[in-house]
Amino acid sequence: MKTIGIVCELNPLHSGHKYLLDMARQKFSADYVVLVMSGDYTQRGVPSIVSKEVRTRMALMAGADAVFELPVQYATASAEYFASGAVSLLNSLGCVDHILFGTENGDIEEIQKIASILNDEPDEYKKELQKGLKRGLNFASARDAALKKLITIGNSTTLIGSNNILGIEYCRALMASGSKITPLTIKREGSDYNEEELADNFSSASSIRKVLESGMERTKKDTTQNTNNELNSSVKASLEQNIPADILDLLLSQNKYNRLDNYSDYLHYKLLSERDNGFISYADIHRDLSDKIIKNLPKFTTISDFAQLLKSKDLTYTRIQRSLLHILLGITQETMDMLKENNYPTYIRLLGFKKDSSALLAQIKESAAAPVISRMSDSFRLEDELQKSLLAQDVLASDIYHLLMPEAKNEYQKPVVIL
Amino acid sequence: MKTIGIVCELNPLHSGHKYLLDMARQKFSADYVVLVMSGDYTQRGVPSIVSKEVRTRMALMAGADAVFELPVQYATASAEYFASGAVSLLNSLGCVDHILFGTENGDIEEIQKIASILNDEPDEYKKELQKGLKRGLNFASARDAALKKLITIGNSTTLIGSNNILGIEYCRALMASGSKITPLTIKREGSDYNEEELADNFSSASSIRKVLESGMERTKKDTTQNTNNELNSSVKASLEQNIPADILDLLLSQNKYNRLDNYSDYLHYKLLSERDNGFISYADIHRDLSDKIIKNLPKFTTISDFAQLLKSKDLTYTRIQRSLLHILLGITQETMDMLKENNYPTYIRLLGFKKDSSALLAQIKESAAAPVISRMSDSFRLEDELQKSLLAQDVLASDIYHLLMPEAKNEYQKPVVIL
């Protein structure tokens, strides 16, 4: 029984994701495909446009057998923690043989070679890294230059490009955790991660979000029902190349697409309330950024404008967005350090599964090395304090998400999605 | 030079307040009348309907010579802290001879007698108090019964009625601080403190707020300009008996009346964020109330509905409202205890003055026993850590107030109101 794990965000699911799922079965002959999916927030520091329940349904419709939630601390963390948490969850399922991910080069040997250099830090690497830093390169460029001295395969201009970063981190986490899971990769097709123009078929999730958001804006401005329908069909027309038809219907049937700026007032209030103490206790926030937040607070209008105001050569927009989300959700650096020290503890939160995959679930219940939680009422099974506090923060993050999506049920009322 | 101090909220100013100001000059021959006024929040735990700047202007129009801000910790506290903070501020002005307040009985001797019994706690009082408590009376009733055994003057059914409470506390604070200020009282006319029906001339502030709020509600529902004007004149007609004409014009020219429920989302977010730690660190919140907040949190909709849900025989609606405001503003019990231990420290924040009262200000600058702050840029004068933290919390409270009244300037841009 070959089981392949895929880590994903599906914000929203598009044909690139569908392709990866199909490849797992066709190219790599998986009997089962399990997903580890971020919950209500994603790694770039934004709430997902539709809830994790809707995204779970999309995943099952696209062919996943079961979907598990990546706890919010990992889901919103920088690449190292994100990948380590996801691999820890896959390890804890106890029956996953492979992890599959997309990369720029599609070459798993190259990815693994880079990962092992970064993990082992051989002397030659360290020497080259120091040289680059002394030459005034920033850390990412110095690392890339040092790697290129040690590795000759491949011909990409940057070894650790945005599409390779997570793949490398998955491999590092597999090695560091002594995992029995082996990595697989396919070459990513289509748009770049951050591409905002829709390409044919393989668009990035962010360009799809743009289309949905601008459709929503136009709908708001014009309140006549007739124009609404027209706009809906124009949004549909521009997305039908990029999202499988049944999933697009589900996506368009949602009447609200969430976005970070919906939480501007809440964050503003929290920033004001804690201004006098500073923000360095939150994950990823160093003294400089904390001081900058305090200094610019009188100019706060929306989170996106504020992130724009704070960004600099050293701190990217996404990095700041993620930091601000950590403040909003109350995720501290102390928590992240503790998780790392404890080898990224997790619990197994089942978000959904396919009816005809119940054999897989039976297997997981047997092989799982962490408590399986299908309903929140199962949470009494958690005895470990770290697992308990992970879950409490997940519930809080979800409650904050639903402050603005009140139609959805709260964490304790949600059933597992079954297809 | 006879200077009389009055402690007030003016939310909004009405003929009862005007009467008190007039009496200070006519009956008690004051040369100057100085006000100690709550800032953006009041003692019953709500934001003021119009900003402190507008209320300062109203006070000056009604005849006050100068207006000073009662720091938010005192302004939103229970009677003992409220009165002690206000008396401390009056003491620190160094040139106030009298404090004037309204009471139910209008009899300063009776008020002072009660105050001294409560401060000195003679054996007979303690014995009677214990008796009442053993009989199953609540503290307020037992205290009242014990006082009645010791005092025969007066004929009110309750000695510590809602209108006497603050007067008694002012006298206790004067005694406890060894103040040279002597108390004066006049009998309160007109509506009761909580009366919600408009009475002729002397209406309570809460009934006036009701009229303004229901006027606002109707205006919201009907958006035609014509109806707006009609409604405005109907609100004006129902208030012109109760508020001096020029002040009513100023009040009605404000386009927004603030209310606690405007802050429901912020409080909801804070309650969710801190649920796992509980709320007992905040002022006035004991374990029982904290547990009740946590238990009822899934039912939160608005602050007023939530307070209604939490209230009980032991905890009044107002007490809960005040507790929830403490959470919203981050006012802790530790701060309140520290203020009490340090004899209610304060600074002198000047909100406004009459041009022709500049001799008074010159006098205060000379006699003041605490730093005088006219603009926030003067705040560098604060060296005392407690004064600094009082001011920081005042600035925060005001910033939170202005999250919903964004047209107003922030604390650092506000000029003193001069008439």
Side-chain angles (χ1 to χ4, degrees), chain A residues 122-140:
Chain A
D123 287 344
E124 199 188 342
Y125 167 76
K126 277 196 278 196
K127 217 180 66 190
E128 290 295 333
L129 182 68
Q130 285 310 319
K131 250 198 237 171
L133 291 172
K134 273 190 193 147
R135 256 169 46 219
L137 297 179
N138 66 27
F139 183 79

PDB file of all heavy atoms in Angstrom, chain A residues 122-140:
ATOM      1  N   PRO A 122      29.424  21.372   5.913  1.00  0.00           N
ATOM      2  CA  PRO A 122      30.838  20.992   5.819  1.00  0.00           C
ATOM      3  C   PRO A 122      31.718  22.248   5.815  1.00  0.00           C
ATOM      4  O   PRO A 122      31.259  23.344   5.477  1.00  0.00           O
ATOM      5  CB  PRO A 122      30.919  20.266   4.471  1.00  0.00           C
ATOM      6  CG  PRO A 122      29.734  20.725   3.702  1.00  0.00           C
ATOM      7  CD  PRO A 122      28.663  21.028   4.700  1.00  0.00           C
ATOM      8  N   ASP A 123      33.010  22.053   6.215  1.00  0.00           N
ATOM      9  CA  ASP A 123      33.915  23.196   6.369  1.00  0.00           C
ATOM     10  C   ASP A 123      33.997  24.066   5.118  1.00  0.00           C
ATOM     11  O   ASP A 123      33.995  25.298   5.200  1.00  0.00           O
ATOM     12  CB  ASP A 123      35.325  22.702   6.735  1.00  0.00           C
ATOM     13  CG  ASP A 123      35.358  22.205   8.174  1.00  0.00           C
ATOM     14  OD1 ASP A 123      34.400  22.547   8.925  1.00  0.00           O
ATOM     15  OD2 ASP A 123      36.295  21.481   8.536  1.00  0.00           O
ATOM     16  N   GLU A 124      34.063  23.416   3.958  1.00  0.00           N
ATOM     17  CA  GLU A 124      34.200  24.187   2.720  1.00  0.00           C
ATOM     18  C   GLU A 124      33.006  25.124   2.523  1.00  0.00           C
ATOM     19  O   GLU A 124      33.151  26.274   2.091  1.00  0.00           O
ATOM     20  CB  GLU A 124      34.313  23.211   1.530  1.00  0.00           C
ATOM     21  CG  GLU A 124      34.913  23.872   0.292  1.00  0.00           C
ATOM     22  CD  GLU A 124      34.834  22.963  -0.930  1.00  0.00           C
ATOM     23  OE1 GLU A 124      34.651  21.734  -0.751  1.00  0.00           O
ATOM     24  OE2 GLU A 124      34.924  23.483  -2.059  1.00  0.00           O
ATOM     25  N   TYR A 125      31.811  24.614   2.865  1.00  0.00           N
ATOM     26  CA  TYR A 125      30.596  25.430   2.751  1.00  0.00           C
ATOM     27  C   TYR A 125      30.667  26.639   3.689  1.00  0.00           C
ATOM     28  O   TYR A 125      30.400  27.778   3.305  1.00  0.00           O
ATOM     29  CB  TYR A 125      29.359  24.581   3.050  1.00  0.00           C
ATOM     30  CG  TYR A 125      28.092  25.395   3.261  1.00  0.00           C
ATOM     31  CD1 TYR A 125      27.417  25.968   2.174  1.00  0.00           C
ATOM     32  CD2 TYR A 125      27.577  25.611   4.540  1.00  0.00           C
ATOM     33  CE1 TYR A 125      26.278  26.714   2.376  1.00  0.00           C
ATOM     34  CE2 TYR A 125      26.441  26.360   4.746  1.00  0.00           C
ATOM     35  CZ  TYR A 125      25.781  26.915   3.656  1.00  0.00           C
ATOM     36  OH  TYR A 125      24.663  27.662   3.844  1.00  0.00           O
ATOM     37  N   LYS A 126      31.059  26.337   4.944  1.00  0.00           N
ATOM     38  CA  LYS A 126      31.113  27.423   5.936  1.00  0.00           C
ATOM     39  C   LYS A 126      32.111  28.508   5.514  1.00  0.00           C
ATOM     40  O   LYS A 126      31.857  29.700   5.675  1.00  0.00           O
ATOM     41  CB  LYS A 126      31.503  26.862   7.319  1.00  0.00           C
ATOM     42  CG  LYS A 126      30.290  26.286   8.074  1.00  0.00           C
ATOM     43  CD  LYS A 126      30.549  26.082   9.539  1.00  0.00           C
ATOM     44  CE  LYS A 126      31.280  24.787   9.760  1.00  0.00           C
ATOM     45  NZ  LYS A 126      31.235  24.333  11.182  1.00  0.00           N
ATOM     46  N   LYS A 127      33.261  28.057   4.949  1.00  0.00           N
ATOM     47  CA  LYS A 127      34.296  29.003   4.517  1.00  0.00           C
ATOM     48  C   LYS A 127      33.747  29.907   3.407  1.00  0.00           C
ATOM     49  O   LYS A 127      33.881  31.129   3.445  1.00  0.00           O
ATOM     50  CB  LYS A 127      35.512  28.209   3.999  1.00  0.00           C
ATOM     51  CG  LYS A 127      36.858  28.821   4.325  1.00  0.00           C
ATOM     52  CD  LYS A 127      38.009  27.961   3.772  1.00  0.00           C
ATOM     53  CE  LYS A 127      38.036  27.930   2.257  1.00  0.00           C
ATOM     54  NZ  LYS A 127      38.983  26.914   1.724  1.00  0.00           N
ATOM     55  N   GLU A 128      33.077  29.274   2.421  1.00  0.00           N
ATOM     56  CA  GLU A 128      32.530  30.033   1.291  1.00  0.00           C
ATOM     57  C   GLU A 128      31.426  30.993   1.739  1.00  0.00           C
ATOM     58  O   GLU A 128      31.321  32.113   1.251  1.00  0.00           O
ATOM     59  CB  GLU A 128      31.985  29.073   0.218  1.00  0.00           C
ATOM     60  CG  GLU A 128      33.058  28.291  -0.526  1.00  0.00           C
ATOM     61  CD  GLU A 128      33.969  29.200  -1.372  1.00  0.00           C
ATOM     62  OE1 GLU A 128      33.516  30.286  -1.788  1.00  0.00           O
ATOM     63  OE2 GLU A 128      35.141  28.810  -1.588  1.00  0.00           O
ATOM     64  N   LEU A 129      30.625  30.505   2.682  1.00  0.00           N
ATOM     65  CA  LEU A 129      29.538  31.347   3.207  1.00  0.00           C
ATOM     66  C   LEU A 129      30.124  32.602   3.856  1.00  0.00           C
ATOM     67  O   LEU A 129      29.686  33.733   3.595  1.00  0.00           O
ATOM     68  CB  LEU A 129      28.715  30.541   4.228  1.00  0.00           C
ATOM     69  CG  LEU A 129      27.500  31.251   4.841  1.00  0.00           C
ATOM     70  CD1 LEU A 129      26.412  31.484   3.799  1.00  0.00           C
ATOM     71  CD2 LEU A 129      26.919  30.435   6.003  1.00  0.00           C
ATOM     72  N   GLN A 130      31.138  32.408   4.697  1.00  0.00           N
ATOM     73  CA  GLN A 130      31.781  33.540   5.377  1.00  0.00           C
ATOM     74  C   GLN A 130      32.382  34.524   4.362  1.00  0.00           C
ATOM     75  O   GLN A 130      32.254  35.734   4.521  1.00  0.00           O
ATOM     76  CB  GLN A 130      32.903  33.032   6.323  1.00  0.00           C
ATOM     77  CG  GLN A 130      32.377  32.384   7.605  1.00  0.00           C
ATOM     78  CD  GLN A 130      31.350  33.259   8.325  1.00  0.00           C
ATOM     79  OE1 GLN A 130      31.507  34.476   8.427  1.00  0.00           O
ATOM     80  NE2 GLN A 130      30.264  32.639   8.805  1.00  0.00           N
ATOM     81  N   LYS A 131      33.006  33.976   3.328  1.00  0.00           N
ATOM     82  CA  LYS A 131      33.598  34.821   2.280  1.00  0.00           C
ATOM     83  C   LYS A 131      32.547  35.744   1.675  1.00  0.00           C
ATOM     84  O   LYS A 131      32.736  36.946   1.535  1.00  0.00           O
ATOM     85  CB  LYS A 131      34.164  33.920   1.164  1.00  0.00           C
ATOM     86  CG  LYS A 131      35.686  33.887   1.078  1.00  0.00           C
ATOM     87  CD  LYS A 131      36.101  33.339  -0.294  1.00  0.00           C
ATOM     88  CE  LYS A 131      36.978  32.121  -0.141  1.00  0.00           C
ATOM     89  NZ  LYS A 131      37.231  31.444  -1.428  1.00  0.00           N
ATOM     90  N   GLY A 132      31.417  35.122   1.316  1.00  0.00           N
ATOM     91  CA  GLY A 132      30.336  35.889   0.693  1.00  0.00           C
ATOM     92  C   GLY A 132      29.821  36.978   1.621  1.00  0.00           C
ATOM     93  O   GLY A 132      29.590  38.126   1.212  1.00  0.00           O
ATOM     94  N   LEU A 133      29.635  36.618   2.889  1.00  0.00           N
ATOM     95  CA  LEU A 133      29.117  37.596   3.854  1.00  0.00           C
ATOM     96  C   LEU A 133      30.112  38.750   4.008  1.00  0.00           C
ATOM     97  O   LEU A 133      29.712  39.917   4.098  1.00  0.00           O
ATOM     98  CB  LEU A 133      28.862  36.919   5.213  1.00  0.00           C
ATOM     99  CG  LEU A 133      27.692  35.924   5.235  1.00  0.00           C
ATOM    100  CD1 LEU A 133      27.640  35.157   6.567  1.00  0.00           C
ATOM    101  CD2 LEU A 133      26.350  36.636   4.992  1.00  0.00           C
ATOM    102  N   LYS A 134      31.409  38.406   4.027  1.00  0.00           N
ATOM    103  CA  LYS A 134      32.442  39.454   4.157  1.00  0.00           C
ATOM    104  C   LYS A 134      32.442  40.375   2.938  1.00  0.00           C
ATOM    105  O   LYS A 134      32.745  41.548   3.040  1.00  0.00           O
ATOM    106  CB  LYS A 134      33.821  38.819   4.337  1.00  0.00           C
ATOM    107  CG  LYS A 134      34.129  38.518   5.803  1.00  0.00           C
ATOM    108  CD  LYS A 134      35.560  38.109   6.020  1.00  0.00           C
ATOM    109  CE  LYS A 134      35.726  37.513   7.406  1.00  0.00           C
ATOM    110  NZ  LYS A 134      36.741  36.455   7.435  1.00  0.00           N
ATOM    111  N   ARG A 135      32.099  39.773   1.768  1.00  0.00           N
ATOM    112  CA  ARG A 135      32.023  40.588   0.549  1.00  0.00           C
ATOM    113  C   ARG A 135      30.806  41.496   0.546  1.00  0.00           C
ATOM    114  O   ARG A 135      30.581  42.271  -0.382  1.00  0.00           O
ATOM    115  CB  ARG A 135      31.941  39.658  -0.671  1.00  0.00           C
ATOM    116  CG  ARG A 135      33.242  39.548  -1.448  1.00  0.00           C
ATOM    117  CD  ARG A 135      33.199  38.430  -2.482  1.00  0.00           C
ATOM    118  NE  ARG A 135      31.998  38.394  -3.288  1.00  0.00           N
ATOM    119  CZ  ARG A 135      31.361  37.274  -3.661  1.00  0.00           C
ATOM    120  NH1 ARG A 135      31.818  36.091  -3.268  1.00  0.00           N
ATOM    121  NH2 ARG A 135      30.274  37.325  -4.405  1.00  0.00           N
ATOM    122  N   GLY A 136      29.983  41.369   1.590  1.00  0.00           N
ATOM    123  CA  GLY A 136      28.834  42.266   1.708  1.00  0.00           C
ATOM    124  C   GLY A 136      27.547  41.688   1.134  1.00  0.00           C
ATOM    125  O   GLY A 136      26.542  42.378   1.030  1.00  0.00           O
ATOM    126  N   LEU A 137      27.549  40.400   0.763  1.00  0.00           N
ATOM    127  CA  LEU A 137      26.303  39.789   0.285  1.00  0.00           C
ATOM    128  C   LEU A 137      25.346  39.592   1.458  1.00  0.00           C
ATOM    129  O   LEU A 137      25.776  39.405   2.593  1.00  0.00           O
ATOM    130  CB  LEU A 137      26.597  38.419  -0.351  1.00  0.00           C
ATOM    131  CG  LEU A 137      27.472  38.393  -1.600  1.00  0.00           C
ATOM    132  CD1 LEU A 137      27.669  36.947  -2.079  1.00  0.00           C
ATOM    133  CD2 LEU A 137      26.826  39.222  -2.726  1.00  0.00           C
ATOM    134  N   ASN A 138      24.035  39.623   1.180  1.00  0.00           N
ATOM    135  CA  ASN A 138      23.109  39.273   2.252  1.00  0.00           C
ATOM    136  C   ASN A 138      23.136  37.752   2.428  1.00  0.00           C
ATOM    137  O   ASN A 138      23.733  37.032   1.613  1.00  0.00           O
ATOM    138  CB  ASN A 138      21.698  39.804   1.980  1.00  0.00           C
ATOM    139  CG  ASN A 138      21.045  39.151   0.780  1.00  0.00           C
ATOM    140  OD1 ASN A 138      21.344  38.004   0.418  1.00  0.00           O
ATOM    141  ND2 ASN A 138      20.144  39.874   0.144  1.00  0.00           N
ATOM    142  N   PHE A 139      22.511  37.255   3.480  1.00  0.00           N
ATOM    143  CA  PHE A 139      22.660  35.852   3.827  1.00  0.00           C
ATOM    144  C   PHE A 139      22.217  34.917   2.698  1.00  0.00           C
ATOM    145  O   PHE A 139      22.924  33.964   2.344  1.00  0.00           O
ATOM    146  CB  PHE A 139      21.901  35.523   5.114  1.00  0.00           C
ATOM    147  CG  PHE A 139      22.085  34.097   5.554  1.00  0.00           C
ATOM    148  CD1 PHE A 139      23.242  33.700   6.209  1.00  0.00           C
ATOM    149  CD2 PHE A 139      21.121  33.128   5.279  1.00  0.00           C
ATOM    150  CE1 PHE A 139      23.436  32.392   6.602  1.00  0.00           C
ATOM    151  CE2 PHE A 139      21.304  31.803   5.661  1.00  0.00           C
ATOM    152  CZ  PHE A 139      22.465  31.437   6.324  1.00  0.00           C
ATOM    153  N   ALA A 140      21.046  35.221   2.088  1.00  0.00           N
ATOM    154  CA  ALA A 140      20.509  34.341   1.042  1.00  0.00           C
ATOM    155  C   ALA A 140      21.467  34.260  -0.144  1.00  0.00           C
ATOM    156  O   ALA A 140      21.732  33.173  -0.680  1.00  0.00           O
ATOM    157  CB  ALA A 140      19.139  34.841   0.601  1.00  0.00           C
TER     158      ALA A 140
END
